[in-house]
Amino acid sequence: MPLTKKLICAAGLLALSAGIQAQNKELVVGSSATYRPFAYETPTKEIVGYDIDIIRAVAQKAGLQIKIVNTPWTGIFAALNNGDVDLVISGVTINDKRKQSYDFTAPYFEARQLIAVNKDSAVKNLKDLSGKKVAVVTGSTADDIASREFGKTNPDIRRFESTPVIISELANGGVDAAIGDNGVIAFRTQEHKQLKTVSDASFPKEYFGIVVKQGNKALLDKLNKGLATAKTDGTYAQIYKKWFQTEAPALPAQ
Amino acid sequence: MDQVLWFGWFRVDIIDEYAQLFWSGLGMTILVTVICIVQGTGLGLLLGMARLADARHAPARQLCKYLLRWPATLYVSFFRGTPLFVQLLLMHFAVMPLFVNPADGLLISGDAARHIKQNYGAFLSGVAALTLNAGAYISEVFRAGIQSIDRGQFEAARSLGLSFARTMYHVVLPQAFRRMLPPLGNNAIALLKDSSLISAIGLAELAYAARTVAGAYSRYWEPYLTISVVYWMLTLGLAYVIRRLEARYGRGDSR
């Protein structure tokens, strides 16, 4: 066989195999499973939670094959960048800074920041935390808020890897307050009877979205379509009620 | 702040923005390392001696075995046999709250406990875990160093009428120390690098600064490359100090 023919043949095979892969490719979903009730591991190593139910429903509606991989929060965007995961659903707040680097689907959860403090604390809002030690999760929305309010290199801001850890640190008396996403903070706080939550009305409403690599429009469209279907056919409301025991709030379309 | 690029891809402005965190982090890393080297060496010496303790007659013989050798062996086995990272989490989230706790600390409680935990909590837990861990490794260096000195030296000194302590101090340890310096240096370098693990419990050292920047910008090259270079400089400096010490104390041999 002449060389050119060989090459064409090889290229054809390659294209064919790539085509097959694209058809049946299992999408890898990254989620940090230390974020109960959004995503956490059961004793049998199964990853479950609100986020997981949502992405399964979305994938089903959109006809996508998915595999969920527990990815530590600190490295989750790096994993998306270098292709280890195809999409991320991990309680990721949609914000402008992140939008510069990633693409988000429509919201699937309304989030607010919530402050956890000791029951005897007089803290009413974020401003009251000035001069106090505050625990946040590194790189989270709370980190962003605290950094803006108290200065990003302020030693009173204590950064940790996960929400359970900041609540433990608070319960052990290592900090005066912990700030985090409402779903998780509320859930964790009820585990410690000496703690309470404080809601600062000035915290803006925020939304969680599913994240894909910037420019991956094909996948983004499929996910949005799946999510829209889940919202209209009642699957979404069902999942919301299962995890938060209340009716799902109306979410903006974008 | 405007983006400032080095070599077209290294965003130095985000490092600059958090410069204060990196500088104070550098200070903290050095402080923790120095404290842990000193304490770990002291602990290691005591443990090493305990592991070699022996006596000829009962009951001292049994006492040495059950009260010194066995506990020391168990200690070394535990701290070498479990990951430092796990020890660190155990210390900070389990052991420390048991002893120092505003609600019901066994050692310190109330406002004093709150004050200590809030201002020095991660530092104390980190230094304690790192010291205990280093002590285990260093005790092996001391034990091996002392055992490597020919038994004849010890016997000769004793038969000349020197007491055990004087034999150790004047004859065995000076020779053993020379042999222990290279492995001690290795331990010091390992300790410097291991101090980065303390960032997991929120101590603002070098790795913490890098993690903060990585978290804020979702950029990983700049912060981690920066602290890699800093750690490298620090270990080079430490290696230089150790080389000087070896040259200084090795002189006796190469006369």
Side-chain angles (χ1 to χ4, degrees):
Chain A
M1 217 190 295
L3 184 67
T4 42
K5 219 171 175 182
K6 260 190 197 165
L7 278 176
I8 292 167
C9 229
L13 273 173
L14 211 69
L16 196 69
S17 64
I20 291 167
Q21 263 180 5
Q23 287 250 307
N24 300 333
K25 196 186 150 208
E26 205 177 35
L27 292 167
V28 181
V29 179
S31 192
S32 169
T34 54
Y35 205 52
R36 197 168 178 175
F38 291 95
Y40 61 101
E41 269 187 346
T42 63
T44 54
K45 300 293 290 172
E46 201 189 344
I47 303 172
V48 296
Y50 173 77
D51 278 5
I52 306 303
D53 282 359
I54 290 285
I55 194 67
R56 283 200 201 288
V58 167
Q60 195 216 327
K61 309 283 175 205
L64 299 168
Q65 296 280 329
I66 57 163
K67 186 177 93 181
I68 291 158
V69 174
N70 189 358
T71 314
W73 171 257
T74 341
I76 211 159
F77 290 107
L80 187 62
N81 282 338
N82 62 30
D84 288 347
V85 303
D86 297 297
L87 60 144
V88 166
I89 182 160
S90 197
V92 182
T93 309
I94 306 171
N95 66 26
D96 288 341
K97 200 153 97 191
R98 286 182 181 147
K99 272 189 191 164
Q100 287 173 18
S101 319
Y102 310 97
D103 284 344
F104 285 88
T105 62
Y108 68 90
F109 182 76
E110 180 189 302
R112 270 175 304 109
Q113 294 298 301
L114 205 56
I115 303 169
V117 286
N118 275 300
K119 275 230 167 80
D120 55 12
S121 167
V123 169
K124 291 267 183 297
N125 52 41
L126 183 65
K127 293 259 185 297
D128 291 347
L129 291 176
S130 171
K132 293 190 159 41
K133 315 279 188 278
V134 180
V136 295
V137 174
T138 312
S140 65
T141 307
D143 187 355
D144 212 36
I145 289 177
S147 295
R148 224 177 303 139
E149 184 74 23
F150 308 120
K152 48 187 75 171
T153 58
N154 189 329
D156 285 345
I157 301 176
R158 304 283 164 83
R159 298 180 177 89
F160 295 89
E161 283 307 280
S162 68
T163 312
V165 173
I166 63 175
I167 293 293
S168 302
E169 189 72 8
L170 172 65
N172 292 336
V175 288
D176 296 299
I179 313 177
D181 297 324
N182 54 345
V184 192
I185 289 284
F187 177 82
R188 291 282 159 187
T189 306
Q190 73 186 14
E191 291 181 334
H192 298 272
K193 57 181 184 303
Q194 77 273 29
L195 302 182
K196 66 173 180 185
T197 58
V198 175
S199 174
D200 183 331
S202 74
F203 286 154
K205 265 188 197 172
E206 293 173 318
Y207 300 97
F208 287 175
I210 305 166
V211 199
V212 300
K213 219 172 174 166
Q214 195 159 45
N216 192 351
K217 196 164 170 353
L219 178 58
L220 191 68
D221 287 346
K222 279 185 196 158
L223 291 172
N224 268 329
K225 220 158 139 197
L227 184 59
T229 316
K231 278 177 183 169
T232 45
D233 74 1
T235 320
Y236 174 80
Q238 213 179 334
I239 296 172
Y240 194 95
K241 191 146 192 191
K242 172 182 165 193
W243 290 100
F244 300 106
Q245 286 83 44
T246 51
E247 297 303 326
L251 293 174
Q254 196 53 58
Chain B
M1 206 183 289
D2 289 338
Q3 287 196 14
V4 183
L5 290 175
W6 278 4
F7 317 114
W9 62 274
F10 191 96
R11 273 193 64 185
V12 72
D13 59 302
I14 66 174
I15 303 297
D16 193 37
E17 196 181 333
Y18 284 88
Q20 202 193 331
L21 213 53
F22 281 95
W23 283 116
S24 58
L26 172 65
M28 184 55 84
T29 291
I30 293 173
L31 181 68
V32 167
T33 305
V34 169
I35 291 178
C36 289
I37 287 176
V38 172
Q39 290 186 351
T41 307
L43 181 65
L45 178 61
L46 293 179
L47 279 170
M49 300 290 245
R51 289 199 71 179
L52 293 171
D54 203 358
R56 198 164 302 158
H57 305 291
R61 192 179 169 78
Q62 274 71 33
L63 285 180
C64 281
K65 188 173 175 187
Y66 295 116
L67 290 181
L68 290 172
R69 283 213 309 274
W70 280 23
T73 307
L74 184 70
Y75 176 95
V76 171
S77 169
F78 175 80
F79 280 95
R80 287 203 315 173
T82 54
L84 173 58
F85 188 62
V86 174
Q87 293 164 18
L88 202 59
L89 296 178
L90 195 63
M91 178 63 75
H92 187 66
F93 291 111
V95 178
M96 203 54 109
L98 187 66
F99 290 103
V100 184
N101 195 322
D104 51 1
L106 291 179
L107 214 58
I108 307 169
S109 60
D111 282 344
R114 177 154 294 164
H115 177 77
I116 289 171
K117 285 226 65 164
Q118 292 196 350
N119 293 297
Y120 314 106
F123 178 77
L124 288 177
S125 302
V127 164
L130 213 53
T131 297
L132 294 176
N133 184 277
Y137 281 94
I138 293 173
S139 79
E140 287 292 276
V141 174
F142 277 105
R143 185 180 63 81
I146 292 168
Q147 280 180 334
S148 78
I149 302 301
D150 193 278
R151 185 136 189 96
Q153 301 257 349
F154 181 83
E155 284 162 358
R158 291 307 300 270
S159 63
L160 284 172
L162 267 65
S163 70
F164 176 85
R166 292 177 77 86
T167 302
M168 271 298 180
Y169 186 75
H170 290 294
V171 179
V172 178
L173 282 180
Q175 301 183 71
F177 186 63
R178 223 172 280 152
R179 294 182 186 175
M180 289 182 311
L181 260 175
L184 279 179
N186 276 341
N187 272 302
I189 287 175
L191 210 153
L192 169 66
K193 294 184 293 180
D194 286 346
S195 70
S196 63
L197 291 173
I198 308 180
S199 70
I201 57 172
L203 184 73
E205 38 71 79
L206 268 175
Y208 177 93
R211 273 189 14 200
T212 301
V213 175
Y217 281 94
S218 298
R219 289 186 71 98
Y220 301 89
W221 275 106
E222 289 86 353
Y224 290 118
L225 202 57
T226 302
I227 63 161
S228 295
V229 170
V230 177
Y231 276 117
W232 196 8
M233 292 294 147
L234 288 174
T235 50
L236 280 176
L238 203 51
Y240 175 76
V241 171
I242 294 157
R243 251 201 331 274
R244 289 293 301 268
L245 280 175
E246 279 177 37
R248 166 81 181 72
Y249 288 102
R251 230 182 268 158
D253 272 346
S254 49
R255 203 165 11 192

